[in-house]
Amino acid sequence: MVLLAYLKSLFILQLLMGFVFVVSGLIINFIQLCTCILWPINKQLYRRINCRLSYSLWSQLVMLLEWWSGTDCTLYTDQATVDKFGKEHVIVILNHNFEIDFLCGWTMCERFGVLGSSKVLAKHELLKVPLIGWTWYFLEIVFCKRKWEEDRKTVFKGLSRLKDYPECMWFLLYCEGTRFTETKHQISNQVAESKGLPKLKYHLLPRTKGFTTTLQCLKGTVTAVYDVTLNFKDNQTPTLLGIVNGKKYKADMSVRRFPVEDIPDDEKECANWLHKLYQEKDALQETYNKEGKFPGPTIIPHRRLWTLLNFLFWATLLLSPLIKFACGVAVSGSPLLIIGFIIFLIIASIAIRRLIGVTEVKKTGSSYGNQEAKKEN
């Protein structure tokens, strides 16, 4: 075990894994670009192909969580709810407190066969991020600038287009709009006080527009809303860098299912329903902090081999020529080739570190709390 932990901490291994992810991602993006010719001919075939291409990329990140770090994910829910996973179109509401909350959400998507077709409302800046933004573009992810007057037409058009999506779809929403920090929490409580809403202790005040719009546009397609509250054992503060270093975490996820017909149609009442939901999420977090667990029965869904096999496929395909090339450079004795290869490794390591930086709480900027953002809700 000590040897395994040491190997996982080796920078060269992490760099090689990053190389596999980046290069395979660029290959996948190129294939996705080629599939665009299918859109006017057979839109549903285009979508099915892109679901599997995106799965091939995202499952490499899930592999890091499940197989590399060995992080455990326990669900607190009933068997009747789990039996519906992967068999219906749903909206999934997640709390936004941790750097790897998206990865835990993707892990659940993967274990129930909907990772490739999972959707999000993403901030427009992510469209410019290589691999992540580009893959999402081909997946018809809805990008928004968080300025409702500018986003209205784009969001309605993008969401309405998903009504006939052929694959079972989980639409992941972070209704808080940004990750939890103490500064943002203070601003959130000020907004709550000014609007006469109860203050939340463990969450930010939800931005209701995204949820009500998504529900309105996808009504008749989605059949339920899953409320997911995530926490980690022993007050762990997980990071993607920790996952890359092979650190193991223990994630607990409380999952509640709400049929769409039980959620009000009226926009104002629907917004009030969401506020009430977040008050309940706050109570769940309070229970977890006191008892170290969520209420209800526990289910641990088995991790699947597909994520590991997919990574091994790409690793075999891409690392063999890289290692052969590196050996050739080493024995060539050419200072120019050796220096060039070292520069390539440096650039690659910086690029991978920047991709990891996209997930870091301290680097995720937000306009949360400015006057314009307040008006949007």
Side-chain angles (χ1 to χ4, degrees):
M1 294 298 290
V2 175
L3 177 60
L4 184 60
Y6 171 73
L7 290 174
K8 288 180 178 180
S9 68
L10 290 178
F11 175 72
I12 187 62
L13 286 183
Q14 297 171 6
L15 186 59
L16 290 174
M17 292 173 64
F19 172 82
V20 171
F21 177 74
V22 171
V23 177
S24 66
L26 293 174
I27 293 172
I28 288 168
N29 287 161
F30 176 74
I31 298 173
Q32 287 181 306
L33 180 62
C34 294
T35 65
C36 288
I37 61 173
L38 291 174
W39 181 266
I41 303 169
N42 191 329
K43 181 173 68 174
Q44 303 297 38
L45 177 61
Y46 164 90
R47 285 170 160 174
R48 291 184 189 280
I49 291 173
N50 274 278
C51 281
R52 281 141 188 84
L53 289 171
S54 67
Y55 174 86
S56 189
L57 183 61
W58 301 145
S59 65
Q60 294 182 51
L61 297 179
V62 173
M63 185 282 298
L64 282 177
L65 185 80
E66 293 185 332
W67 296 95
W68 185 255
S69 81
T71 292
D72 297 322
C73 290
T74 300
L75 300 182
Y76 287 76
T77 190
D78 57 90
Q79 188 61 49
T81 297
V82 173
D83 289 342
K84 294 182 180 294
F85 287 177
K87 298 175 183 176
E88 58 181 349
H89 295 296
V90 297
I91 295 171
V92 182
I93 297 176
L94 302 100
N95 55 319
H96 211 7
N97 298 60
F98 307 98
E99 286 184 13
I100 66 165
D101 45 29
F102 77 97
L103 200 48
C104 292
W106 279 359
T107 296
M108 287 301 106
C109 288
E110 198 287 323
R111 293 188 184 189
F112 294 99
V114 294
L115 176 60
S117 57
S118 62
K119 308 292 180 185
V120 293
L121 270 181
K123 56 185 180 182
H124 194 265
E125 294 86 343
L126 289 176
L127 183 57
K128 303 173 185 176
V129 178
L131 306 184
I132 297 172
W134 298 350
T135 303
W136 274 351
Y137 174 81
F138 292 113
L139 269 180
E140 302 170 76
I141 294 298
V142 182
F143 292 93
C144 54
K145 298 178 180 178
R146 297 179 179 179
K147 296 179 180 179
W148 184 239
E149 291 307 315
E150 295 182 29
D151 289 333
R152 183 189 300 271
K153 289 183 180 179
T154 303
V155 171
F156 270 97
K157 182 179 178 180
L159 290 172
S160 298
R161 193 168 54 200
L162 296 175
K163 281 189 171 184
D164 63 343
Y165 210 78
E167 301 282 325
C168 190
M169 176 178 61
W170 282 15
F171 202 105
L172 280 60
L173 279 181
Y174 296 99
C175 294
E176 294 163 273
T178 185
R179 281 201 177 94
F180 185 99
T181 66
E182 285 303 323
T183 300
K184 294 172 186 175
H185 185 225
Q186 291 174 11
I187 296 171
S188 173
N189 283 338
Q190 292 171 9
V191 175
E193 187 173 359
S194 68
K195 293 185 176 183
L197 294 169
K199 296 179 182 179
L200 300 175
K201 187 175 181 180
Y202 303 103
H203 299 83
L204 304 179
L205 200 66
R207 292 175 171 178
T208 60
K209 185 66 72 175
F211 173 71
T212 57
T213 302
T214 302
L215 189 61
Q216 178 186 347
C217 290
L218 295 181
K219 210 143 196 182
T221 300
V222 299
T223 56
V225 171
Y226 296 165
D227 171 52
V228 179
T229 305
L230 170 68
N231 219 322
F232 289 86
K233 292 286 189 187
D234 305 320
N235 294 316
Q236 293 174 309
T237 306
T239 64
L240 185 54
L241 197 56
I243 294 294
V244 171
N245 286 325
K247 186 173 181 180
K248 183 175 182 177
Y249 302 103
K250 293 184 178 180
D252 288 335
M253 306 173 78
S254 170
V255 183
R256 299 181 296 163
R257 182 183 184 273
F258 299 91
V260 165
E261 56 267 23
D262 293 348
I263 302 172
D265 289 324
D266 179 77
E267 184 177 351
K268 186 175 181 180
E269 291 180 9
C270 185
N272 290 336
W273 181 90
L274 184 64
H275 283 300
K276 183 174 181 292
L277 182 77
Y278 267 79
Q279 292 162 29
E280 293 172 358
K281 287 171 77 70
D282 233 38
L284 280 171
Q285 287 282 29
E286 183 74 27
T287 299
Y288 190 92
N289 288 348
K290 289 180 179 178
E291 301 180 9
K293 62 179 182 179
F294 291 114
T298 61
I299 296 173
I300 303 178
H302 296 294
R303 59 184 179 180
R304 306 194 305 170
L305 272 172
W306 293 114
T307 56
L308 183 59
L309 294 175
N310 175 73
F311 176 78
L312 291 176
F313 163 77
W314 284 111
T316 302
L317 182 68
L318 299 174
L319 291 183
S320 296
L322 177 68
I323 293 172
K324 186 180 294 185
F325 176 74
C327 291
V329 170
V331 301
S332 70
S334 169
L336 188 61
L337 276 177
I338 294 172
I339 292 172
F341 189 68
I342 291 173
I343 292 173
F344 165 76
L345 292 177
I346 293 172
I347 293 173
S349 63
I350 292 173
I352 292 166
R353 186 61 186 84
R354 285 180 67 86
L355 279 175
I356 293 174
V358 171
T359 71
E360 294 179 354
V361 171
K362 62 184 178 182
K363 293 185 180 179
T364 51
S366 170
S367 62
Y368 193 93
N370 66 30
Q371 293 302 316
E372 188 175 12
K374 290 176 185 177
K375 293 176 183 176
E376 290 169 11
N377 244 358

